[in-house]
Amino acid sequence: MSTPEAATVVERARVATRHPGPDPSQAPRERRELSISGMTCATCALRVERALAAVPSVTRAEVNLAIHRGSVEGIAGALRPADLIAAVRRAGYEAELLTGEVEQDREIAAAEARRMQSESRRLLVAVALSVPLLIPMLGILLPGWLQLALATPVQFLIGARFYAGAWKSVRARMGNMDLLVALGTSAAYFYSLYLLLARTAAAHLYFDSAAVVITLVTVGKWLEERAKRSTTSQIRALMSLRPERARVERDGEEIDIPASAVAVGDVVVVRPGERLAVDGTVIGGHSAVDESLLTGESLPVAKATGDRVTGGAINGSGLLRIQTTAVGDKSTLSRIIALVEGAQSKKAPVQRLVDRVAGVFVPVVLALSLATLLGWWLLAGDFATGLIAAVSVLVIACPCSLGLATPTALMVGTGVAARAGILIRDAEALERAYRLDTVVLDKTGTVTEGTPKVTEVIPNGVSERDLMQLTATVQAGSEHPLARAVLARAHELRSGGTDASRPALEDFESQAGMGVIARVGGKRCVIGNRRLMEKHGVRVEDGESRAARLEAQGRTVMWIAVLDPEPAWLGLIGVADPIKPEAAAALRHLEHIGIETVLLTGDNERTAAAVGAQLGIRRVLAGVLPEEKAAEVRRLQAQGRQVGMMGDGVNDAPALAAADVGFAVGTGTDVAMQTAGVTLMRGDLRLLGDAIAVSRATYRKIRQGLFWAFIYNVIGLPAAAFGLLSPVIAGAAMALSSVSVVSNALLLRRWRPAAARRH
């Protein structure tokens, strides 16, 4: 759960690593999400984006054509939703503020379903009226008045949306796809009407071209919308995990209430087969819980008293009583949905090129169309052919595919990543991840289990019981994994009948990266590594051989010493943190895809080298203090490397922020997750390789989509200008371009994590 302290640490990390020095002029920011209707192509999205960016207090605006969403960031307290909605309306579109509430999500989904039904009916009417106009292709002539009767409803009723969109674009002085379609089909329709009314003998009419182009474009938009709905299937699947009702214990009874009414501290009862409504801690019962749609973990996870559970998971065969710890937008599921939606609404850097092209695309097409008409008319003396060629130029031009290539691939990519337990914060992180060639791995909790155990206790002049009692007293208030290992061993000794009263802890001071110094029973003592011993003048030469033996076995060695009346070491404690079972296979996979791994740890060189040798990591950075981790990342970057950093602790936050892409383990701290560009929902090291793999697959789809979008226009526009394409073929090609770009992006849904492919 996010906290003010976490946010402060994150901000300090980012400022320290990317913008040295304080910036008091930087005001707090807030973000608003809008649902925008009426956009048809990339130029529409660009116009809305510019309108939002022009609102005072807005510092950043991004519009996603694929999901019809706008993301706006601005100065906190000054960003008024009414101003944003008014700006969108002035640009000729409609907008609604998104609140993230379940009810609103369902209303939007219902509205989209109704709109698709309406579009389906319009499409059927358009097809029914247009198909007869193609009969002359079979050698059967239709009377001109019948062609007019069939084409007119298609032109002005089915095509009314194109005229409305064209009028809005003209008012905004910025062309769009609607303007191109409206101009092209109107030219064919009214030229045919002129020929019909003038009773020109043997004149060929083009009512079929006008009506069929509108029908084909409508078919294309309908297919495009259906395909785009598929790109958001993962986010809808996540939203469907939120139960509407919850069973809560109140005054000794179980009552059924809306899930939104559950408060922190409430006890929720979950029966077998039901979906968990809240995040919480199990206080009664045991069961296996299916968390696959949240974490990507395919197997149910056993849960018993004291274990944490996540809302949206499915309970197995046992009855669970859960004390609520998070509800609403603070719940894990809501945060996952917000993270995925945020990633899908933001633009990738590659989209900037598309925006520049979209800004001049329509004016260039209009100029080319006019030049085509004049060229055929003035040079070849053939006005009719020139007009039809100009119409073909207008209708084959496709700014839609340009606008859809990047966002659709991003939406599918982030969706399949979320399904695998990989949460990508934004498009920029995904785009940078595909370039990575080096990954720095924090040792504790990343390549190791993060649950160390005491394996050896070597006293020096004191009993093992006294040594463990002293160490446990000092470490009692610490949350460090090594401290928990010591406390667990001390508890075992007490359970074995060697309990004795602990001396009082009088003072405690943490020494970052080295250990602790404390006062116990009136005496100062230090617990930590060699550097801490050297700092306080403790001579450890006679314990070096035993410490070296433990370190060569991969143990972390804790030295215990007293400083009063004079410095003297009291013993050693060897702690082993088991390497994760999947770590070696995960690192081999990283090597296979061309990623060099670097192990980073505060442990001494011998221990770090032993762990590195077990994992096959050739480059090990040992003895690194927390504040030095970011510097090590920057040192690698200075060598020309694209560096990713994977960690799970508060002290990893600066390094995660400094890296080109930070990978935080979702089982770690909230600070690390807020700082990183990618969050891995399980502590499975294989997810790191999967995250890089899905980013590469997504970026390939982006490049393929942009290639096809550009190639359609590069080939199609000259062909249409030279009269090689009829308006009907041009309209079909235009419709096909958008559908093919979206369909190509949908192929990403076949991507599977490496672990799933092995099984």
Side-chain angles (χ1 to χ4, degrees):
M1 195 182 307
S2 298
T3 63
E5 292 80 8
T8 300
V9 172
V10 172
E11 187 59 30
R12 286 175 179 170
R14 289 175 176 157
V15 169
T17 56
R18 293 180 180 168
H19 305 288
D23 184 5
S25 64
Q26 196 171 37
R29 299 287 191 265
E30 63 180 341
R31 183 175 160 186
R32 293 285 185 268
E33 300 289 331
L34 300 171
S35 174
I36 300 169
S37 57
M39 297 187 299
T40 58
C41 67
T43 51
C44 295
L46 188 59
R47 183 159 76 247
V48 174
E49 190 171 289
R50 289 176 178 175
L52 289 170
V55 175
S57 78
V58 170
T59 58
R60 182 189 60 83
E62 293 180 344
V63 174
N64 188 322
L65 174 64
I67 55 175
H68 298 277
R69 296 282 177 92
S71 176
V72 180
E73 186 178 280
I75 299 172
L79 194 63
R80 297 176 53 201
D83 294 339
L84 302 177
I85 293 173
V88 173
R89 287 177 176 167
R90 284 195 299 271
Y93 305 89
E94 292 297 323
E96 177 186 1
L97 181 69
L98 294 174
T99 62
E101 296 177 356
V102 179
E103 292 77 9
Q104 186 186 47
D105 292 336
R106 294 195 176 110
E107 288 174 5
I108 291 175
E112 288 179 352
R114 289 192 298 270
R115 185 169 58 82
M116 285 299 294
Q117 290 177 352
S118 175
E119 287 298 313
S120 299
R121 289 192 293 268
R122 288 165 53 87
L123 181 58
L124 289 174
V125 172
V127 171
L129 293 172
S130 299
V131 168
L133 290 169
L134 298 176
I135 290 178
M137 297 176 63
L138 303 176
I140 303 173
L141 295 178
L142 290 180
W145 63 266
L146 181 57
Q147 294 184 48
L148 175 65
L150 291 170
T152 299
V154 177
Q155 185 71 39
F156 299 108
L157 295 180
I158 305 301
R161 60 173 356 172
F162 300 114
Y163 285 104
W167 174 243
K168 291 175 183 177
S169 73
V170 170
R171 288 178 57 192
R173 299 179 183 178
M174 188 176 183
N176 65 357
M177 183 204 75
D178 294 329
L179 179 61
L180 299 178
V181 173
L183 283 175
T185 58
S186 295
Y189 177 89
F190 285 109
Y191 180 59
S192 301
L193 181 62
Y194 163 75
L195 294 176
L196 180 64
L197 295 177
R199 301 180 183 275
T200 304
H204 181 78
L205 303 179
Y206 300 99
F207 287 119
D208 57 339
S209 296
V212 172
V213 164
I214 286 178
T215 299
L216 287 172
V217 173
T218 304
V219 170
K221 297 301 290 183
W222 183 81
L223 292 173
E224 179 187 311
E225 287 299 321
R226 285 181 60 88
K228 285 193 295 186
R229 280 182 60 81
S230 296
T231 65
T232 59
S233 59
Q234 185 59 37
I235 196 70
R236 291 200 305 274
L238 287 171
M239 290 177 175
S240 69
L241 298 182
R242 298 187 286 200
E244 296 184 33
R245 313 288 296 180
R247 192 175 295 103
V248 179
E249 290 184 356
R250 296 272 174 87
D251 301 323
E253 296 182 359
E254 292 183 12
I255 61 172
D256 190 70
I257 64 173
S260 58
V262 179
V264 173
D266 280 345
V267 176
V268 177
V269 178
V270 185
R271 293 174 180 170
E274 291 183 339
R275 199 174 291 280
L276 279 64
V278 296
D279 290 3
T281 303
V282 177
I283 60 173
H286 56 86
S287 184
V289 175
D290 180 359
E291 300 176 334
S292 56
L293 277 175
L294 292 169
T295 66
E297 175 57 64
S298 57
L299 298 176
V301 180
K303 300 292 183 181
T305 301
D307 290 336
R308 297 179 63 181
V309 291
T310 304
I314 300 175
N315 187 23
S317 58
L319 180 73
L320 294 177
R321 294 175 65 247
I322 300 167
Q323 186 166 40
T324 304
T325 58
V327 295
D329 60 357
K330 298 296 189 296
S331 68
T332 300
L333 178 57
S334 293
R335 292 169 61 199
I336 291 174
I337 292 173
L339 200 59
V340 175
E341 285 184 327
Q344 293 182 344
S345 67
K346 291 183 179 179
K347 286 188 177 181
V350 70
Q351 185 70 16
R352 296 174 190 136
L353 170 63
V354 178
D355 289 343
R356 288 196 294 270
V357 173
V360 299
F361 186 84
V362 173
V364 168
V365 170
L366 290 173
L368 179 60
S369 177
L370 180 60
T372 299
L373 174 62
L374 294 176
W376 279 95
W377 186 14
L378 299 178
L379 299 179
D382 191 343
F383 177 81
T385 301
L387 179 64
I388 296 308
V391 170
S392 297
V393 168
L394 290 173
V395 298
I396 201 172
C398 191
C400 303
S401 56
L402 287 174
L404 290 170
T406 300
T408 49
L410 284 173
M411 288 163 61
V412 180
T414 53
V416 297
R419 183 180 63 202
I422 302 164
L423 302 183
I424 299 170
R425 178 175 295 278
D426 53 40
E428 189 174 354
L430 187 141
E431 185 170 332
R432 288 198 305 265
Y434 99 95
R435 296 191 181 96
L436 294 180
D437 53 36
T438 305
V439 172
V440 177
L441 303 171
D442 180 58
K443 182 176 78 70
T444 304
T446 302
V447 301
T448 65
E449 296 285 359
T451 54
K453 296 180 180 179
V454 172
T455 55
E456 293 89 8
V457 179
I458 303 175
N460 182 41
V462 296
S463 67
E464 178 180 345
R465 183 196 65 181
D466 291 341
L467 182 65
M468 290 304 303
Q469 276 190 341
L470 173 63
T471 308
T473 298
V474 174
Q475 301 283 22
S478 174
E479 290 298 320
H480 194 281
L482 296 182
R484 291 196 293 269
V486 168
L487 292 171
R489 179 58 178 268
H491 178 73
E492 292 174 5
L493 290 175
R494 290 197 301 274
S495 300
T498 59
D499 193 17
S501 59
R502 286 185 185 173
L505 178 63
E506 300 167 7
D507 193 16
F508 180 94
E509 180 184 348
S510 177
Q511 304 286 306
M514 293 189 288
V516 298
I517 178 171
R519 186 177 294 276
V520 178
K523 292 185 177 181
R524 288 188 303 154
C525 62
V526 288
I527 300 175
N529 57 25
R530 283 186 185 81
R531 283 182 294 175
L532 188 61
M533 300 299 114
E534 293 169 359
K535 179 180 178 180
H536 292 280
V538 180
R539 298 177 64 86
V540 295
E541 290 82 357
D542 51 346
E544 276 288 359
S545 60
R546 283 173 283 186
R549 177 176 53 82
L550 294 177
E551 289 167 352
Q553 297 171 0
R555 306 288 195 262
T556 297
V557 174
M558 300 171 61
W559 294 80
I560 300 93
V562 293
L563 302 180
D564 301 321
E566 60 183 22
W569 72 282
L570 300 180
L572 304 172
I573 296 177
V575 180
D577 188 0
I579 294 174
K580 291 180 178 179
E582 77 281 357
L587 294 176
R588 285 196 301 270
H589 178 234
L590 287 172
E591 184 177 7
H592 177 71
I593 62 175
I595 303 294
E596 180 182 350
T597 53
V598 178
L599 185 64
L600 184 69
T601 178
D603 268 337
N604 62 80
E605 292 184 5
R606 278 194 290 260
T607 300
V611 174
Q614 292 180 56
L615 294 171
I617 299 177
R618 290 184 289 272
R619 187 165 185 176
V620 178
L621 303 176
V624 181
L625 296 175
E627 61 270 20
E628 296 173 345
K629 290 183 177 181
E632 292 292 347
V633 169
R634 287 194 293 271
R635 190 172 294 114
L636 289 169
Q637 290 170 326
Q639 298 171 11
R641 296 174 179 269
Q642 298 291 317
V643 182
M645 167 71 190
M646 184 175 178
D648 69 338
V650 173
N651 58 17
D652 297 324
L656 290 171
D660 293 287
V661 182
F663 297 88
V665 181
T667 53
T669 67
D670 197 56
V671 177
M673 292 172 66
Q674 289 188 49
T675 310
V678 179
T679 297
L680 310 178
M681 292 302 294
R682 306 192 310 277
D684 188 335
L685 198 58
R686 290 173 296 186
L687 283 183
L688 175 59
D690 290 334
I692 296 173
V694 76
S695 75
R696 291 178 175 180
T698 303
Y699 201 72
R700 280 196 300 271
K701 288 300 178 186
I702 290 175
R703 287 188 295 185
Q704 291 169 9
L706 289 176
F707 169 79
W708 286 115
F710 278 108
I711 209 70
Y712 268 112
N713 290 289
V714 169
I715 295 176
L717 286 171
F722 284 104
L724 302 177
L725 298 175
S726 71
V728 172
I729 300 299
M734 176 192 178
L736 180 63
S737 65
S738 295
V739 174
S740 62
V741 165
V742 176
S743 299
N744 182 56
L746 286 174
L747 294 177
L748 258 178
R749 293 194 298 179
R750 299 186 301 181
W751 180 86
R752 293 292 182 271
R757 292 195 296 271
R758 282 194 294 271
H759 295 295

Coordinates of all heavy atoms in Angstrom, one line a residue, residues 32 47-49 83 179 269 302 311 334 341 422 495 528 541 543 576 583 637 675 693 753 755:
R32 N -5.7 13.0 -14.4 CA -7.1 12.8 -14.7 C -7.2 11.9 -16.0 O -6.4 12.1 -16.9 CB -7.8 14.1 -14.9 CG -8.0 14.9 -13.7 CD -9.0 14.4 -12.7 NE -9.2 15.2 -11.6 CZ -8.6 15.1 -10.4 NH1 -7.6 14.2 -10.3 NH2 -8.8 15.9 -9.4
R47 N -5.6 16.3 -32.5 CA -6.4 17.5 -32.3 C -6.9 17.6 -30.8 O -6.7 18.6 -30.2 CB -7.5 17.6 -33.2 CG -8.3 18.9 -33.1 CD -9.1 19.3 -34.3 NE -10.3 18.5 -34.4 CZ -10.5 17.6 -35.4 NH1 -9.5 17.4 -36.3 NH2 -11.6 16.9 -35.5
V48 N -7.4 16.5 -30.3 CA -7.9 16.4 -28.9 C -6.7 16.6 -28.0 O -6.8 17.4 -27.0 CB -8.6 15.1 -28.6 CG1 -8.9 15.0 -27.2 CG2 -9.8 15.0 -29.5
E49 N -5.6 16.0 -28.3 CA -4.4 16.1 -27.4 C -3.9 17.6 -27.4 O -3.6 18.1 -26.3 CB -3.3 15.2 -28.0 CG -2.1 15.1 -27.1 CD -1.1 14.0 -27.6 OE1 -1.5 12.8 -27.5 OE2 -0.1 14.4 -28.0
D83 N -12.9 22.0 -17.1 CA -12.1 22.7 -18.1 C -11.6 21.7 -19.2 O -11.6 22.1 -20.4 CB -10.9 23.4 -17.5 CG -11.3 24.5 -16.6 OD1 -12.5 25.0 -16.7 OD2 -10.5 24.9 -15.7
L179 N -12.9 13.9 -43.3 CA -12.9 14.9 -44.4 C -12.5 14.3 -45.7 O -13.1 14.6 -46.7 CB -11.9 16.0 -44.0 CG -11.7 17.1 -45.0 CD1 -13.0 17.9 -45.2 CD2 -10.6 18.1 -44.6
V269 N -16.1 -13.4 5.3 CA -16.2 -14.8 5.2 C -16.3 -15.2 3.7 O -17.1 -14.7 3.0 CB -17.4 -15.4 6.0 CG1 -17.4 -16.9 5.8 CG2 -17.3 -15.0 7.4
A302 N -1.4 -22.4 -1.2 CA -2.0 -22.8 0.1 C -2.0 -21.6 1.0 O -1.1 -20.8 1.1 CB -1.2 -23.9 0.7
G311 N -7.7 -9.7 -3.0 CA -9.0 -9.7 -3.6 C -9.0 -10.0 -5.1 O -8.1 -9.6 -5.8
S334 N -7.1 -3.2 -7.7 CA -7.4 -1.9 -8.2 C -6.1 -1.3 -8.7 O -6.0 -0.6 -9.7 CB -8.1 -1.0 -7.2 OG -9.4 -1.5 -6.9
E341 N -4.0 0.1 -17.0 CA -4.7 1.2 -17.8 C -3.7 2.4 -18.0 O -3.7 3.0 -19.1 CB -5.9 1.7 -17.0 CG -7.1 0.7 -17.0 CD -8.3 1.3 -16.4 OE1 -8.1 2.0 -15.4 OE2 -9.4 1.0 -16.8
I422 N 3.3 -9.7 -15.0 CA 4.3 -8.6 -15.3 C 3.5 -7.3 -15.5 O 2.8 -7.2 -16.5 CB 5.1 -9.0 -16.6 CG1 5.9 -10.3 -16.4 CG2 6.1 -7.8 -16.9 CD1 6.4 -10.9 -17.7
S495 N 13.1 -22.6 23.0 CA 12.2 -23.7 23.0 C 12.9 -25.0 23.5 O 12.2 -25.9 24.0 CB 11.6 -23.9 21.6 OG 10.9 -22.8 21.2
G528 N 27.9 -6.9 12.8 CA 27.9 -6.6 11.4 C 29.1 -7.3 10.7 O 29.5 -8.3 11.1
E541 N 41.7 -11.0 13.6 CA 42.6 -11.9 12.8 C 42.4 -13.4 13.2 O 42.4 -14.2 12.3 CB 44.0 -11.5 13.1 CG 44.5 -10.1 12.5 CD 44.0 -9.0 13.3 OE1 43.4 -9.2 14.4 OE2 44.4 -7.8 13.0
G543 N 39.9 -15.0 14.0 CA 38.6 -15.5 13.5 C 38.5 -15.6 12.0 O 37.6 -16.1 11.4
A576 N 22.8 -18.6 6.0 CA 22.7 -19.0 4.6 C 21.3 -18.6 4.1 O 20.3 -18.8 4.7 CB 22.8 -20.5 4.5
A583 N 16.5 -19.9 -10.2 CA 17.5 -18.9 -10.5 C 18.4 -19.3 -11.6 O 18.6 -18.5 -12.5 CB 18.2 -18.5 -9.2
Q637 N 26.2 2.2 -17.2 CA 25.7 3.0 -18.2 C 26.7 3.9 -18.9 O 26.7 4.1 -20.2 CB 24.5 3.9 -17.7 CG 23.3 3.2 -17.3 CD 22.3 4.0 -16.5 OE1 22.7 4.9 -15.8 NE2 21.0 3.8 -16.6
T675 N 9.0 3.0 -7.7 CA 10.2 3.5 -8.4 C 10.4 2.8 -9.8 O 10.8 3.4 -10.7 CB 11.4 3.4 -7.6 OG1 11.2 3.9 -6.3 CG2 12.6 4.2 -8.2
A693 N 11.4 -10.3 -22.9 CA 10.9 -11.0 -24.1 C 9.6 -10.4 -24.6 O 9.4 -10.2 -25.8 CB 10.7 -12.5 -23.8
P753 N 4.7 -16.9 -21.5 CA 6.0 -16.9 -20.7 C 6.8 -18.1 -21.0 O 6.3 -19.2 -21.4 CB 5.5 -16.8 -19.3 CG 4.1 -16.4 -19.4 CD 3.6 -16.9 -20.6
A755 N 8.2 -20.1 -18.9 CA 7.9 -21.2 -18.0 C 6.7 -22.0 -18.6 O 6.7 -23.2 -18.6 CB 7.6 -20.7 -16.6

